[in-house]
């Protein structure tokens, strides 16, 4: 019984050592939509990902953590950066004015309006295929208080930074200027500066999607884990076989030690030889 318990403890220890440290968290505290987008993109690239709900309540709703195999950690982070995932939470009018200020000042109201307007434009630009991320900075007209004619000190201006996938031409600069100028009152399309930069190619970052392990096709990050599991299983089987062999030998030795003394004892039922008269 002790040997059997020792074998069970050994198996439990091997499984515990195998399951410890085989995964790593790459994202934490993101909402469910961002977690779903992230895990979907990783799975399509051949990187196994797991979405786990975080413990405890949060103010903005339930948050999640995304885990991948430790060997896929760096590759997964590079892939998500190339894809622009998870997307930042854009603060539009609903988010900005959903928490009203107690006594808003004119400058605070102006800043909140610019933030909400820029967030709405960024959301619109990021819905276009090929756009990884978009950032918009707005500067509205400002009146000069010292000017006698009340003319504004400077007109409205905007700066747009777009990160697009390589080889994709989602929007021309003229289209971006037209879209931004049409979203801000008094903004001339000529006053909109547009910069488009290429993002990293997801195919180059993802690398090989699947690796071969005998007849199986697995992700490269899970290959060391499966190899370790197979080695641990073979070691456990070898240990169990050795225990069974030792147990069988001891049983055989015990059986021989019990049978031999019994054979040497005289038979009480056998007739005693009679002496001659």
């Amino acid at each position: 019984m002790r040997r059997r318990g020792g074998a069970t403890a050994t198996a439990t220890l091997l499984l515990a050592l195998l399951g410890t440290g085989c995964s790593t968290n790459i994202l934490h505290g993101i909402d469910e939509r961002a977690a779903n987008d992230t895990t979907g993109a990783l799975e399509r690239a051949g990187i196994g990902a797991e979405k786990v709900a975080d413990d405890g309540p949060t103010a903005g709703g339930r948050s999640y953590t995304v885990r991948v195999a430790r060997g896929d950690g760096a590759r997964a982070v590079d892939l998500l950066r190339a894809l622009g995932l998870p997307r930042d939470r854009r603060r539009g009018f609903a988010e900005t004015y959903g928490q009203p200020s107690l006594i808003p000042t004119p400058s605070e109201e102006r800043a909140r309006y610019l933030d909400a307007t820029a967030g709405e434009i960024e959301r619109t630009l990021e819905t276009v295929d090929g756009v990884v991320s978009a950032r918009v900075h707005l500067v509205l007209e400002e009146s000069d208080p010292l000017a006698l004619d009340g003319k504004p000190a400077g007109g409205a201006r905007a700066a747009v930074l777009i990160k697009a996938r390589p080889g994709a031409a989602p929007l021309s600069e003229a289209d971006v200027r037209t879209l931004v100028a049409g979203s801000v009152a008094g903004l001339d399309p000529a006053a909109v500066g547009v910069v488009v930069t290429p993002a990293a190619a997801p195919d180059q970052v993802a690398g090989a999607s699947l690796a071969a392990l005998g007849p199986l096709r697995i992700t490269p990050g899970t290959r060391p884990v499966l190899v370790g599991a197979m080695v641990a299983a073979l070691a456990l089987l070898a240990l169990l076989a050795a225990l069974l062999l030792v147990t069988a030998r001891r049983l055989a030795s015990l059986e021989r030690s019990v049978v031999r003394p019994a054979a040497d004892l005289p038979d009480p039922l056998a007739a005693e030889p009679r002496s001659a008269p």
Side-chain angles (χ1 to χ4, degrees):
M1 295 297 293
R2 290 182 179 178
R3 290 187 176 276
R4 184 176 181 181
T8 304
T10 304
T12 305
L13 179 60
L14 288 174
L15 292 177
L17 292 176
L18 180 62
T20 303
C22 62
S23 63
T24 182
N25 299 337
I26 58 173
L27 293 174
H28 178 72
I30 59 177
D31 57 15
E32 187 172 9
R33 180 177 180 180
N36 292 336
D37 293 342
T38 300
T39 54
L42 292 175
E43 292 289 346
R44 286 191 296 271
I47 301 176
E50 180 185 12
K51 180 185 72 173
V52 181
D54 296 334
D55 296 333
T58 56
R62 196 165 192 179
S63 60
Y64 294 84
T65 296
V66 176
R67 299 176 181 174
V68 298
R70 185 172 297 276
D72 287 333
R75 194 162 59 98
V77 172
D78 293 339
L79 176 64
L80 294 180
R81 185 181 296 113
L83 296 175
L85 295 174
R87 296 187 184 275
D88 297 334
R89 297 179 181 178
R90 303 305 187 195
R91 292 179 56 85
F93 284 97
E95 293 80 6
T96 301
Y97 290 95
Q99 300 176 354
S101 178
L102 183 60
I103 305 178
T105 62
S107 59
E108 182 181 358
E109 281 295 327
R110 183 183 184 88
R112 294 175 66 187
Y113 175 78
L114 289 176
D115 187 23
T117 304
E120 294 291 347
I121 298 174
E122 290 170 355
R123 285 178 177 176
T124 303
L125 291 173
E126 288 178 350
T127 58
V128 180
D129 287 340
V131 175
V132 174
S133 64
R135 296 301 302 269
V136 177
H137 301 275
L138 299 177
V139 179
L140 298 184
E141 293 182 348
E142 297 182 0
S143 300
D144 186 0
L146 301 180
L148 298 179
D149 53 1
K151 291 183 178 180
R157 302 182 303 278
V160 182
L161 174 62
I162 295 178
K163 183 182 291 186
R165 295 191 182 95
L171 289 173
S172 64
E173 295 186 6
D175 293 335
V176 176
R177 292 190 181 95
T178 301
L179 189 150
V180 175
S183 304
V184 181
L187 179 60
D188 187 10
V192 178
V194 179
V195 176
V196 180
T197 61
D203 296 338
Q204 297 177 359
V205 176
S209 58
L210 295 176
L213 181 61
L216 303 178
R217 301 288 294 175
I218 59 176
T219 59
T222 57
R223 181 172 182 173
V225 179
L226 291 180
V227 171
M230 294 174 64
V231 172
L234 291 176
L236 181 59
L237 290 176
L239 178 61
L240 293 176
L243 291 176
L244 289 176
L245 181 60
V246 171
T247 303
R249 288 183 176 180
R250 291 199 172 188
L251 288 176
S253 177
L254 181 61
E255 183 179 1
R256 288 193 299 269
S257 64
V258 172
V259 171
R260 285 180 179 176
D264 296 337
L265 293 177
D267 189 359
L269 300 179
E272 296 183 358
R274 294 180 180 181
S275 59

